[in-house]
mmCIF file of all heavy atoms in Angstrom:
data_model
loop_
_atom_site.group_PDB
_atom_site.id
_atom_site.type_symbol
_atom_site.label_atom_id
_atom_site.label_comp_id
_atom_site.label_asym_id
_atom_site.label_seq_id
_atom_site.Cartn_x
_atom_site.Cartn_y
_atom_site.Cartn_z
ATOM 1 N N LEU A 84 0.952 -14.120 -6.632
ATOM 2 C CA LEU A 84 2.034 -14.038 -7.533
ATOM 3 C C LEU A 84 3.043 -15.110 -7.299
ATOM 4 O O LEU A 84 3.539 -15.168 -6.166
ATOM 5 C CB LEU A 84 2.667 -12.640 -7.441
ATOM 6 C CG LEU A 84 1.744 -11.419 -7.408
ATOM 7 C CD1 LEU A 84 2.635 -10.165 -7.407
ATOM 8 C CD2 LEU A 84 0.944 -11.389 -8.665
ATOM 9 N N PRO A 85 3.388 -15.885 -8.293
ATOM 10 C CA PRO A 85 4.401 -16.863 -8.147
ATOM 11 C C PRO A 85 5.855 -16.360 -7.984
ATOM 12 O O PRO A 85 6.115 -15.249 -8.371
ATOM 13 C CB PRO A 85 4.324 -17.765 -9.355
ATOM 14 C CG PRO A 85 3.436 -17.104 -10.268
ATOM 15 C CD PRO A 85 2.830 -15.912 -9.595
ATOM 16 N N VAL A 86 6.766 -17.125 -7.409
ATOM 17 C CA VAL A 86 8.113 -16.722 -7.236
ATOM 18 C C VAL A 86 8.699 -16.409 -8.609
ATOM 19 O O VAL A 86 8.474 -17.135 -9.561
ATOM 20 C CB VAL A 86 8.921 -17.861 -6.584
ATOM 21 C CG1 VAL A 86 10.416 -17.562 -6.526
ATOM 22 C CG2 VAL A 86 8.397 -18.092 -5.175
ATOM 23 N N GLY A 87 9.450 -15.292 -8.559
ATOM 24 C CA GLY A 87 10.163 -14.939 -9.810
ATOM 25 C C GLY A 87 9.420 -13.950 -10.703
ATOM 26 O O GLY A 87 9.920 -13.354 -11.605
ATOM 27 N N GLN A 88 8.102 -13.695 -10.438
ATOM 28 C CA GLN A 88 7.337 -12.857 -11.268
ATOM 29 C C GLN A 88 7.386 -11.388 -10.756
ATOM 30 O O GLN A 88 7.577 -11.158 -9.502
ATOM 31 C CB GLN A 88 5.877 -13.275 -11.178
ATOM 32 C CG GLN A 88 5.546 -14.366 -12.148
ATOM 33 C CD GLN A 88 4.140 -14.202 -12.803
ATOM 34 O OE1 GLN A 88 3.446 -13.294 -12.532
ATOM 35 N NE2 GLN A 88 3.846 -15.173 -13.580
ATOM 36 N N PRO A 89 7.401 -10.415 -11.668
ATOM 37 C CA PRO A 89 7.404 -9.045 -11.223
ATOM 38 C C PRO A 89 6.260 -8.660 -10.391
ATOM 39 O O PRO A 89 5.064 -9.015 -10.697
ATOM 40 C CB PRO A 89 7.437 -8.188 -12.530
ATOM 41 C CG PRO A 89 7.371 -9.118 -13.644
ATOM 42 C CD PRO A 89 7.325 -10.548 -13.094
ATOM 43 N N ILE A 90 6.381 -7.912 -9.284
ATOM 44 C CA ILE A 90 5.288 -7.442 -8.430
ATOM 45 C C ILE A 90 4.922 -6.049 -8.882
ATOM 46 O O ILE A 90 3.809 -5.609 -8.945
ATOM 47 C CB ILE A 90 5.789 -7.350 -7.000
ATOM 48 C CG1 ILE A 90 6.251 -8.700 -6.398
ATOM 49 C CG2 ILE A 90 4.660 -6.785 -6.089
ATOM 50 C CD1 ILE A 90 6.807 -8.557 -4.945
ATOM 51 N N MET A 91 5.937 -5.270 -9.053
ATOM 52 C CA MET A 91 5.747 -3.831 -9.335
ATOM 53 C C MET A 91 6.902 -3.247 -10.135
ATOM 54 O O MET A 91 7.931 -3.833 -10.160
ATOM 55 C CB MET A 91 5.384 -3.079 -8.026
ATOM 56 C CG MET A 91 6.460 -3.173 -6.981
ATOM 57 S SD MET A 91 7.754 -1.961 -7.212
ATOM 58 C CE MET A 91 6.790 -0.438 -6.922
ATOM 59 N N MET A 92 6.671 -2.017 -10.551
ATOM 60 C CA MET A 92 7.668 -1.374 -11.377
ATOM 61 C C MET A 92 7.484 0.140 -11.309
ATOM 62 O O MET A 92 6.364 0.615 -11.268
ATOM 63 C CB MET A 92 7.569 -1.810 -12.877
ATOM 64 C CG MET A 92 8.373 -1.061 -13.772
ATOM 65 S SD MET A 92 8.194 -1.694 -15.480
ATOM 66 C CE MET A 92 9.452 -0.772 -16.369
ATOM 67 N N VAL A 93 8.587 0.856 -11.192
ATOM 68 C CA VAL A 93 8.522 2.340 -11.344
ATOM 69 C C VAL A 93 9.461 2.757 -12.425
ATOM 70 O O VAL A 93 10.497 2.090 -12.521
ATOM 71 C CB VAL A 93 8.762 3.127 -10.041
ATOM 72 C CG1 VAL A 93 7.821 2.756 -8.894
ATOM 73 C CG2 VAL A 93 10.195 2.995 -9.570
ATOM 74 N N ALA A 94 9.229 3.848 -13.139
ATOM 75 C CA ALA A 94 10.207 4.382 -14.053
ATOM 76 C C ALA A 94 9.993 5.941 -14.021
ATOM 77 O O ALA A 94 8.832 6.355 -13.784
ATOM 78 C CB ALA A 94 9.965 3.838 -15.470
ATOM 79 N N THR A 95 11.201 6.573 -14.122
ATOM 80 C CA THR A 95 11.077 8.017 -14.165
ATOM 81 C C THR A 95 11.962 8.475 -15.339
ATOM 82 O O THR A 95 12.938 7.864 -15.716
ATOM 83 C CB THR A 95 11.681 8.626 -12.854
ATOM 84 O OG1 THR A 95 13.004 8.123 -12.687
ATOM 85 C CG2 THR A 95 10.826 8.323 -11.621
ATOM 86 N N ALA A 96 11.570 9.595 -15.967
ATOM 87 C CA ALA A 96 12.238 10.143 -17.054
ATOM 88 C C ALA A 96 12.553 11.661 -16.807
ATOM 89 O O ALA A 96 11.553 12.381 -16.330
ATOM 90 C CB ALA A 96 11.426 10.091 -18.391
ATOM 91 N N ALA A 97 13.748 12.094 -16.985
ATOM 92 C CA ALA A 97 14.117 13.483 -16.626
ATOM 93 C C ALA A 97 15.214 13.907 -17.601
ATOM 94 O O ALA A 97 15.825 13.042 -18.289
ATOM 95 C CB ALA A 97 14.552 13.619 -15.143
ATOM 96 N N ALA A 98 15.559 15.159 -17.560
ATOM 97 C CA ALA A 98 16.669 15.705 -18.342
ATOM 98 C C ALA A 98 17.951 15.120 -17.913
ATOM 99 O O ALA A 98 18.821 14.738 -18.663
ATOM 100 C CB ALA A 98 16.649 17.183 -18.293
ATOM 101 N N HIS A 99 18.053 15.041 -16.536
ATOM 102 C CA HIS A 99 19.359 14.565 -15.943
ATOM 103 C C HIS A 99 19.141 13.429 -15.061
ATOM 104 O O HIS A 99 18.041 13.273 -14.459
ATOM 105 C CB HIS A 99 20.044 15.693 -15.206
ATOM 106 C CG HIS A 99 20.273 16.900 -16.107
ATOM 107 N ND1 HIS A 99 21.169 16.968 -17.043
ATOM 108 C CD2 HIS A 99 19.566 18.103 -16.165
ATOM 109 C CE1 HIS A 99 21.186 18.122 -17.673
ATOM 110 N NE2 HIS A 99 20.191 18.791 -17.175
ATOM 111 N N ARG A 100 20.185 12.619 -14.750
ATOM 112 C CA ARG A 100 20.023 11.396 -14.030
ATOM 113 C C ARG A 100 19.704 11.559 -12.624
ATOM 114 O O ARG A 100 19.034 10.804 -12.025
ATOM 115 C CB ARG A 100 21.303 10.533 -14.157
ATOM 116 C CG ARG A 100 22.485 11.062 -13.508
ATOM 117 C CD ARG A 100 23.769 10.169 -13.852
ATOM 118 N NE ARG A 100 24.929 10.997 -13.682
ATOM 119 C CZ ARG A 100 25.697 11.103 -12.596
ATOM 120 N NH1 ARG A 100 25.348 10.424 -11.539
ATOM 121 N NH2 ARG A 100 26.860 11.848 -12.620
ATOM 122 N N ARG A 101 20.271 12.686 -11.925
ATOM 123 C CA ARG A 101 20.012 12.814 -10.503
ATOM 124 C C ARG A 101 18.487 12.908 -10.205
ATOM 125 O O ARG A 101 18.067 12.156 -9.289
ATOM 126 C CB ARG A 101 20.745 14.035 -10.000
ATOM 127 C CG ARG A 101 20.594 14.218 -8.440
ATOM 128 C CD ARG A 101 21.406 15.341 -7.934
ATOM 129 N NE ARG A 101 22.858 15.067 -8.024
ATOM 130 C CZ ARG A 101 23.574 14.295 -7.232
ATOM 131 N NH1 ARG A 101 22.979 13.724 -6.132
ATOM 132 N NH2 ARG A 101 24.872 14.172 -7.421
ATOM 133 N N ALA A 102 17.840 13.707 -10.905
ATOM 134 C CA ALA A 102 16.360 13.788 -10.669
ATOM 135 C C ALA A 102 15.678 12.496 -10.965
ATOM 136 O O ALA A 102 14.722 12.093 -10.153
ATOM 137 C CB ALA A 102 15.803 14.890 -11.577
ATOM 138 N N ALA A 103 16.070 11.758 -11.973
ATOM 139 C CA ALA A 103 15.441 10.484 -12.318
ATOM 140 C C ALA A 103 15.740 9.431 -11.187
ATOM 141 O O ALA A 103 14.796 8.710 -10.778
ATOM 142 C CB ALA A 103 15.934 9.965 -13.676
ATOM 143 N N PHE A 104 16.938 9.368 -10.726
ATOM 144 C CA PHE A 104 17.272 8.421 -9.659
ATOM 145 C C PHE A 104 16.521 8.726 -8.358
ATOM 146 O O PHE A 104 15.912 7.895 -7.740
ATOM 147 C CB PHE A 104 18.805 8.368 -9.376
ATOM 148 C CG PHE A 104 19.542 7.444 -10.237
ATOM 149 C CD1 PHE A 104 20.565 7.886 -11.142
ATOM 150 C CD2 PHE A 104 19.323 5.992 -10.000
ATOM 151 C CE1 PHE A 104 21.341 6.949 -11.891
ATOM 152 C CE2 PHE A 104 20.113 5.141 -10.786
ATOM 153 C CZ PHE A 104 21.055 5.606 -11.680
ATOM 154 N N GLU A 105 16.643 10.061 -7.980
ATOM 155 C CA GLU A 105 16.032 10.408 -6.614
ATOM 156 C C GLU A 105 14.554 10.278 -6.680
ATOM 157 O O GLU A 105 13.954 9.745 -5.754
ATOM 158 C CB GLU A 105 16.402 11.849 -6.346
ATOM 159 C CG GLU A 105 17.825 12.073 -5.919
ATOM 160 C CD GLU A 105 18.146 13.467 -5.440
ATOM 161 O OE1 GLU A 105 17.258 14.334 -5.556
ATOM 162 O OE2 GLU A 105 19.284 13.694 -5.120
#
Side-chain angles (χ1 to χ4, degrees):
Chain A
L84 311 185
V86 174
Q88 278 215 2
I90 303 173
M91 56 87 63
M92 172 178 186
V93 303
T95 53
H99 302 287
R100 70 186 152 93
R101 182 173 295 277
F104 270 117
E105 286 185 1

